Amino acid sequence: MKEQFSKEYAIFQAKIANFVLNQNFSARCEEYENLFNQMASISPDDMKEYIQKSPAFLKARNESLSLMERIVAIHRELKDLFELNENELGLKYSYNLDKADVEIAEKLKEAAFLLHKYEQASEAGRKAIEIADSPFLSQAL
Protein backbone atom coordinates (compact mmCIF):
# COMPACT_ATOMS: atom_id res chain seq x y z
CA MET A 1 0.00 0.00 0.00
CA LYS A 2 2.80 2.44 0.89
CA GLU A 3 4.67 1.53 -2.29
CA GLN A 4 1.62 2.28 -4.45
CA PHE A 5 1.07 5.49 -2.50
CA SER A 6 4.66 6.59 -3.17
CA LYS A 7 4.19 6.03 -6.89
CA GLU A 8 0.93 7.96 -6.92
CA TYR A 9 2.28 10.74 -4.68
CA ALA A 10 4.41 12.27 -7.43
CA ILE A 11 1.40 12.42 -9.76
CA PHE A 12 -0.72 13.87 -6.95
CA GLN A 13 1.88 16.56 -6.24
CA ALA A 14 2.03 17.48 -9.93
CA LYS A 15 -1.76 17.73 -9.99
CA ILE A 16 -1.73 19.99 -6.92
CA ALA A 17 1.05 22.17 -8.37
CA ASN A 18 -0.90 22.50 -11.61
CA PHE A 19 -4.08 23.41 -9.73
CA VAL A 20 -2.29 25.99 -7.57
CA LEU A 21 -0.75 27.58 -10.67
CA ASN A 22 -3.79 27.47 -12.97
CA GLN A 23 -6.25 28.65 -10.35
CA ASN A 24 -3.90 31.32 -8.99
CA PHE A 25 -4.56 29.72 -5.61
CA SER A 26 -1.97 31.63 -3.56
CA ALA A 27 -3.19 35.00 -4.83
CA ARG A 28 -6.79 34.02 -4.12
CA CYS A 29 -5.91 32.98 -0.58
CA GLU A 30 -4.24 36.33 -0.03
CA GLU A 31 -7.15 38.21 -1.63
CA TYR A 32 -9.70 36.49 0.63
CA GLU A 33 -7.55 37.06 3.72
CA ASN A 34 -7.18 40.76 2.89
CA LEU A 35 -10.88 41.15 2.15
CA PHE A 36 -11.82 39.46 5.42
CA ASN A 37 -9.35 41.60 7.40
CA GLN A 38 -10.70 44.78 5.79
CA MET A 39 -14.28 43.79 6.53
CA ALA A 40 -13.48 42.79 10.11
CA SER A 41 -11.54 45.98 10.79
CA ILE A 42 -14.48 48.30 10.10
CA SER A 43 -15.72 49.40 13.48
CA PRO A 44 -19.42 49.43 14.33
CA ASP A 45 -19.14 53.21 14.85
CA ASP A 46 -18.10 53.62 11.21
CA MET A 47 -21.25 51.78 10.14
CA LYS A 48 -23.59 53.31 12.73
CA GLU A 49 -25.39 55.53 10.24
CA TYR A 50 -26.14 52.62 7.88
CA ILE A 51 -27.08 50.31 10.75
CA GLN A 52 -29.59 52.89 12.02
CA LYS A 53 -31.02 53.61 8.57
CA SER A 54 -31.12 50.02 7.38
CA PRO A 55 -31.33 46.88 9.49
CA ALA A 56 -30.93 44.99 6.20
CA PHE A 57 -27.43 46.43 5.90
CA LEU A 58 -26.35 44.99 9.25
CA LYS A 59 -27.81 41.59 8.40
CA ALA A 60 -26.05 41.55 5.01
CA ARG A 61 -22.77 42.76 6.50
CA ASN A 62 -22.78 40.12 9.23
CA GLU A 63 -23.65 37.40 6.75
CA SER A 64 -20.90 38.55 4.35
CA LEU A 65 -18.35 38.60 7.15
CA SER A 66 -19.33 35.15 8.37
CA LEU A 67 -19.20 33.70 4.85
CA MET A 68 -15.81 35.24 4.10
CA GLU A 69 -14.47 33.93 7.42
CA ARG A 70 -15.41 30.37 6.38
CA ILE A 71 -14.03 30.89 2.85
CA VAL A 72 -10.70 31.97 4.36
CA ALA A 73 -10.71 28.96 6.70
CA ILE A 74 -11.33 26.55 3.80
CA HIS A 75 -8.49 28.05 1.79
CA ARG A 76 -6.14 27.82 4.79
CA GLU A 77 -7.11 24.16 5.22
CA LEU A 78 -6.43 23.50 1.53
CA LYS A 79 -3.12 25.35 1.67
CA ASP A 80 -2.06 23.29 4.69
CA LEU A 81 -3.12 20.09 2.92
CA PHE A 82 -1.19 21.06 -0.23
CA GLU A 83 1.94 21.64 1.85
CA LEU A 84 1.96 18.20 3.50
CA ASN A 85 4.95 16.08 2.58
CA GLU A 86 4.60 12.50 1.39
CA ASN A 87 4.82 10.96 4.85
CA GLU A 88 2.38 13.44 6.43
CA LEU A 89 -0.11 13.00 3.60
CA GLY A 90 0.20 9.23 3.79
CA LEU A 91 -0.49 9.19 7.51
CA LYS A 92 -3.38 11.65 7.27
CA TYR A 93 -5.16 9.70 4.51
CA SER A 94 -4.11 6.16 5.41
CA TYR A 95 -1.97 6.03 2.25
CA ASN A 96 -5.06 6.49 0.08
CA LEU A 97 -4.85 9.52 -2.21
CA ASP A 98 -8.45 9.03 -3.33
CA LYS A 99 -9.45 10.19 0.17
CA ALA A 100 -7.34 13.33 -0.28
CA ASP A 101 -8.91 13.97 -3.70
CA VAL A 102 -12.40 13.63 -2.25
CA GLU A 103 -11.64 16.01 0.62
CA ILE A 104 -10.11 18.59 -1.72
CA ALA A 105 -13.09 18.36 -4.08
CA GLU A 106 -15.55 18.76 -1.19
CA LYS A 107 -13.69 21.80 0.16
CA LEU A 108 -13.54 23.42 -3.28
CA LYS A 109 -17.24 22.76 -3.83
CA GLU A 110 -18.09 24.28 -0.44
CA ALA A 111 -15.87 27.31 -1.12
CA ALA A 112 -17.54 27.89 -4.50
CA PHE A 113 -21.00 27.67 -2.92
CA LEU A 114 -19.99 30.07 -0.13
CA LEU A 115 -18.46 32.52 -2.61
CA HIS A 116 -21.78 32.56 -4.46
CA LYS A 117 -23.65 33.19 -1.19
CA TYR A 118 -21.09 35.88 -0.30
CA GLU A 119 -21.76 37.68 -3.60
CA GLN A 120 -25.49 37.59 -2.88
CA ALA A 121 -25.03 38.94 0.66
CA SER A 122 -22.66 41.64 -0.56
CA GLU A 123 -25.16 42.72 -3.20
CA ALA A 124 -27.88 42.92 -0.54
CA GLY A 125 -25.56 45.09 1.55
CA ARG A 126 -24.82 47.38 -1.40
CA LYS A 127 -28.55 47.75 -2.08
CA ALA A 128 -29.21 48.56 1.58
CA ILE A 129 -26.54 51.27 1.47
CA GLU A 130 -27.96 52.63 -1.79
CA ILE A 131 -31.42 52.85 -0.24
CA ALA A 132 -30.06 54.41 2.96
CA ASP A 133 -28.13 57.01 0.93
CA SER A 134 -31.09 57.95 -1.26
CA PRO A 135 -33.58 60.31 0.38
CA PHE A 136 -36.19 59.33 -2.20
CA LEU A 137 -35.80 55.57 -1.82
CA SER A 138 -35.64 55.67 1.98
CA GLN A 139 -38.81 57.80 2.15
CA ALA A 140 -40.60 55.34 -0.10
CA LEU A 141 -40.05 52.50 2.39
Side-chain angles (χ1 to χ4, degrees):
M1 189 164 201
K2 283 186 183 183
E3 295 159 16
Q4 183 65 27
F5 176 83
S6 285
K7 290 176 188 174
E8 293 172 357
Y9 178 77
I11 296 166
F12 178 81
Q13 281 303 104
K15 184 167 61 171
I16 294 300
N18 192 38
F19 170 81
V20 168
L21 182 66
N22 289 335
Q23 297 298 315
N24 211 2
F25 183 78
S26 298
R28 283 188 185 194
C29 288
E30 193 174 317
E31 175 188 338
Y32 299 145
E33 291 263 355
N34 290 339
L35 187 56
F36 175 74
N37 290 335
Q38 287 172 9
M39 292 170 67
S41 69
I42 299 171
S43 75
D45 285 347
D46 294 338
M47 299 180 289
K48 189 165 56 177
E49 179 184 340
Y50 291 116
I51 292 170
Q52 289 172 346
K53 286 183 180 179
S54 176
F57 167 77
L58 182 60
K59 180 182 180 294
R61 188 261 182 197
N62 289 342
E63 184 179 355
S64 294
L65 186 63
S66 175
L67 289 164
M68 188 50 65
E69 184 176 29
R70 180 64 188 135
I71 291 164
V72 167
I74 290 170
H75 282 77
R76 284 181 187 158
E77 292 165 11
L78 286 168
K79 185 176 183 289
D80 290 346
L81 195 154
F82 295 163
E83 292 173 354
L84 293 177
N85 66 33
E86 183 176 347
N87 191 46
E88 293 166 333
L89 198 67
L91 291 172
K92 180 174 175 83
Y93 294 102
S94 307
Y95 299 94
N96 183 346
L97 287 172
D98 288 342
K99 289 180 182 179
D101 280 338
V102 166
E103 183 174 336
I104 291 167
E106 286 173 355
K107 287 184 182 303
L108 291 172
K109 186 176 176 182
E110 181 183 0
F113 174 76
L114 294 175
L115 281 165
H116 178 71
K117 299 292 283 177
Y118 170 80
E119 289 299 324
Q120 291 176 328
S122 294
E123 182 59 29
R126 284 189 287 277
K127 283 184 178 170
I129 288 173
E130 195 178 299
I131 290 170
D133 281 345
S134 170
F136 300 109
L137 289 174
S138 60
Q139 286 177 4
L141 297 177

